């Protein structure tokens, strides 16, 4: 098939799916919202309506949660062996793989991201992550522990069990809709939890397609429920529902704090993966030919709609002009267009709201004295396209230096001495990630220790692996996803002490 026919075929598969499914997955069945309401899903490249999906509300969340509760307490699922759960997760990964191109097309259409990245990063990441988590299902263990309790003529035996935490409410954002859904569903299903997934209102389509594949894989009814709807209604109802044991949230720090407070009141378990303002540090010993595309990709990948986006770029004095002009050239040469068009190099932002927010920050940056050396405007007059933008001359207290923009906007600043760079990098309320670009191994190791962030990359950025813990210091969140840490956050540890 040539490229054009291939795209047409994929579009056709995506369209077939879109035309038949806009419902909620509750207890193994596709249902309308109790209110009968629907909302529009928008193509951010054209601003046109792709389709309508059910607008789940409080009543739907209640039905979904009851189904999840029942499935957790008493069902084929609660009696399933770890190997059974592993097989189902592997089956699901196979089905995602078999439908990978269609899922990538849907993701690209709905979010605006490049279809190539949707396939290589989002969908491939989902497949790899589900397979990784499938492996954990059979490897969950407690410990046996010595005790020192001194009671005459009595011996003790102590051990711990790791048991699934229960019913999990999982609220995901729109920047990596399928992959983040998998990050939440994978460990929950590996450990034996049940789930209510609430996709972001902007991007419900791949979650719904995943729901079909979950049923096809053979997960029992009620194990995974999917309720599309808005944050303030469906999302809030999930957080407040008394039958939910744990909330896992990825999104804004603002909403994360609301959710954290609400979970504290009901003592639900909670993990929060929030915003960032990640520094990219370019030392004077690095090859600019590596650092320039590296730093550009750190911010421009996925239109900058990445929680770990390298939005604060600190460059050694000596290399400042060279690196800034290199990144500005990349920005100016980037071809913006629909993500579904394989010739595009950057897609639109996800929504009107995000488009306005990012343009607002660019405006603010100019007003606060920043100099725009590339971009700085919307692109075209249709679709939510924002030019990749490079700012210089921005002070440490300027809004665009402190707040998460979540768009293709980078602020570049020179630094004089490497002795100061850790303090400069840490001058933020966030702490999600950072990258160091240097050929000096000792420097990179020393700096990596000093940076207050959940992930530090050296000579790379935005690389994520299922086995590597991921999460934030400071206001970037609480808890870790991926790796064994994820298994821990979906289980409770129980101590059993026996007098023998
Ligand atoms: P948001 O935090 O409002 O939305 C994320 C998810 O939370 C969505 O599913 C939404 O429906 C849900 N939600 C919203 N309000 C809720 C509530 N009161 N209770 C329960 N769930 C709720 O993020 P939004 O408004 O889409 O984007 C705002 C900013 O957040 C972005 O500009 C960006 O800075 C940041 N963000 C960070 C992300 C990350 O990966 N850490 C992802 C998305 C946004
Ligand atoms: Mg919001």
């Amino acid at each position: 098939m040539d490229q054009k026919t291939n795209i047409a075929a994929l579009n056709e598969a995506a369209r077939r799916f879109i035309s038949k499914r806009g419902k909620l997955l509750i207890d193994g069945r596709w249902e309308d919202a109790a209110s009968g309401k629907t909302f529009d899903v928008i193509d951010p490249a054209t601003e046109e309506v792709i389709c309508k999906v059910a607008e789940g509300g409080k009543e739907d969340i209640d039905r979904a949660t009851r189904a999840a509760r029942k499935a957790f307490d008493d069902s084929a699922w609660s009696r399933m062996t770890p190997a059974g759960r592993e097989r189902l997760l592997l089956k699901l990964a196979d089905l995602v793989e078999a439908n990978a191109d269609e899922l990538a097309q849907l993701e690209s259409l709905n979010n605006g991201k490049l279809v190539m990245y949707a396939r290589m990063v989002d969908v491939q990441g989902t497949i790899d992550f589900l397979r990784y988590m499938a492996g954990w299902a059979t490897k969950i263990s407690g410990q046996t522990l010595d005790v020192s309790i001194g009671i005459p003529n009595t011996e003790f035996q102590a051990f711990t069990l790791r048991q699934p935490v229960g019913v999990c409410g999982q609220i995901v954002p729109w920047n990596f809709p399928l992959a983040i859904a998998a990050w939440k569903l994978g460990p929950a299903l590996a450990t034996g939890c049940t789930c209510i997934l609430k996709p972001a209102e902007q991007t419900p389509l791949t979650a719904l397609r995943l729901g079909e594949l979950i049923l096809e894989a053979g997960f029992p009814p009620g194990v995974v429920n999917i309720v599309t709807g808005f944050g303030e209604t469906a999302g809030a109802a999930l957080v407040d529902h008394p039958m939910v044991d744990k909330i896992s949230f990825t999104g804004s720090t603002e909403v994360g704090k609301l959710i954290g407070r609400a979970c504290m009141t009901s003592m639900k378990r909670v993990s929060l993966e929030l915003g960032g303002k990640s520094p990219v540090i370019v030392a004077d010993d690095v090859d600019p030919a590596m650092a320039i595309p590296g730093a550009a990709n750190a911010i421009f990948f996925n239109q900058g709609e990445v929680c770990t986006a390298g939005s604060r770029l600190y460059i050694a004095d000596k290399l400042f002009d060279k690196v800034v002009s290199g990144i500005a050239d990349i920005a100016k040469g980037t071809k913006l267009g629909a993500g579904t068009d394989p010739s595009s190099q950057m897609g639109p932002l996800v929504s009107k709201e995000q488009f306005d927010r990012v343009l607002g920050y660019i405006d603010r940056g100019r007003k606060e004295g920043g100099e725009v050396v590339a971009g700085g405007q919307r692109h075209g007059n249709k679709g939510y396209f924002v030019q990749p933008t490079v700012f210089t001359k921005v002070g440490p207290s300027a809004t665009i230096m402190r707040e998460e923009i979540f768009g293709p906007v980078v602020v570049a600043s020179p630094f004089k001495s490497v002795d100061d760079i850790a303090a400069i990098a840490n001058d933020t309320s966030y702490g999600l990630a950072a990258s160091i670009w240097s050929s000096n191994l000792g420097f990179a190791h020393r700096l990596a220790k000093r940076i207050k962030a959940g992930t530090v990359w050296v000579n790379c950025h935005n690389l994520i692996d299922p086995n590597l813990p991921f999460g934030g210091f400071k206001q970037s969140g609480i808890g870790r996803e991926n790796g064994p840490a994820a298994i821990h956050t979906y289980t409770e540890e129980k101590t059993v002490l026996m007098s023998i």
Side-chain angles (χ1 to χ4, degrees), residues 39-44 48-51 53-54 106-112 171-177 198-208 227-232 250-252 305 349-355 357 384 406:
F39 63 98
D40 292 340
V41 181
I42 307 291
D43 171 357
E48 281 162 17
V49 177
I50 302 169
C51 62
V53 301
L106 272 178
E107 200 76 306
S108 171
L109 180 68
N110 191 172
N111 165 280
I171 301 174
V172 301
W174 41 259
N175 54 339
F176 294 93
K198 210 296 280 169
E201 52 269 38
Q202 298 83 353
T203 54
L205 296 186
T206 47
L208 294 174
V227 180
T228 49
F230 293 89
E232 295 74 8
T250 301
S252 62
E305 294 171 322
L349 298 184
V350 71
S351 65
K352 173 80 166 58
E353 190 188 357
Q354 196 60 20
F355 173 78
R357 182 181 288 136
Y384 308 129
F406 227 65

Side-chain angles (χ1 to χ4, degrees), residues 324-360:
V324 168
S325 79
I327 292 170
D329 287 346
I330 291 175
K332 289 174 196 158
T334 301
K335 180 174 180 273
L336 283 98
T340 49
D341 176 349
S343 74
S344 302
Q345 294 171 328
M346 186 185 281
L349 298 184
V350 71
S351 65
K352 173 80 166 58
E353 190 188 357
Q354 196 60 20
F355 173 78
D356 289 340
R357 182 181 288 136
V358 172
L359 288 177

Side-chain angles (χ1 to χ4, degrees), residues 84-250:
R85 297 198 300 270
E86 177 186 36
R87 270 196 300 276
L88 283 179
L89 274 165
L90 289 174
K91 179 103 185 280
L92 179 60
D94 289 348
L95 286 168
V96 171
E97 193 165 50
N99 294 279
D101 291 335
E102 181 199 347
L103 282 161
Q105 189 72 15
L106 272 178
E107 200 76 306
S108 171
L109 180 68
N110 191 172
N111 165 280
K113 66 176 66 206
L114 300 184
V115 68
M116 172 187 76
Y117 285 141
R119 178 66 186 84
M120 274 168 40
V121 179
D122 299 72
V123 178
Q124 194 56 47
T126 297
I127 297 163
D128 295 344
F129 187 81
L130 290 173
R131 288 193 177 135
Y132 171 86
M133 281 298 164
W136 267 109
T138 53
K139 290 154 196 79
I140 298 166
S141 60
Q143 326 172 51
T144 58
L145 300 141
D146 291 348
V147 294
S148 306
I149 302 168
I151 296 177
N153 305 320
T154 313
E155 269 186 59
F156 290 99
Q157 174 74 1
F159 59 95
T160 62
L161 298 169
R162 275 212 171 266
Q163 298 183 310
V165 71
V167 175
C168 300
Q170 309 186 308
I171 301 174
V172 301
W174 41 259
N175 54 339
F176 294 93
L178 180 70
I180 297 179
W183 280 26
K184 308 228 180 278
L185 293 172
L189 298 173
T191 52
C193 294
T194 58
C195 307
I196 305 101
L197 177 72
K198 210 296 280 169
E201 52 269 38
Q202 298 83 353
T203 54
L205 296 186
T206 47
L208 294 174
R209 184 71 184 102
L210 184 68
E212 290 189 330
L213 300 178
I214 285 168
L215 293 184
E216 195 179 331
F219 284 89
V223 172
V224 177
N225 305 275
I226 302 175
V227 180
T228 49
F230 293 89
E232 295 74 8
T233 48
L238 188 54
V239 172
D240 287 340
H241 201 292
M243 282 182 185
V244 172
D245 298 300
K246 173 186 163 73
I247 294 287
S248 176
F249 171 78
T250 301

Side-chain angles (χ1 to χ4, degrees), residues 269-312:
R269 277 57 186 137
V270 62
S271 51
L272 304 169
E273 201 271 277
L274 309 176
K277 194 74 186 169
S278 299
V280 172
I281 298 157
V282 178
D284 64 3
D285 56 54
V286 76
D287 178 4
M290 171 172 79
I292 290 169
N297 207 38
I299 182 66
F300 298 143
F301 166 64
N302 211 50
Q303 298 78 240
E305 294 171 322
V306 181
C307 47
T308 52
S311 51
R312 291 184 296 138

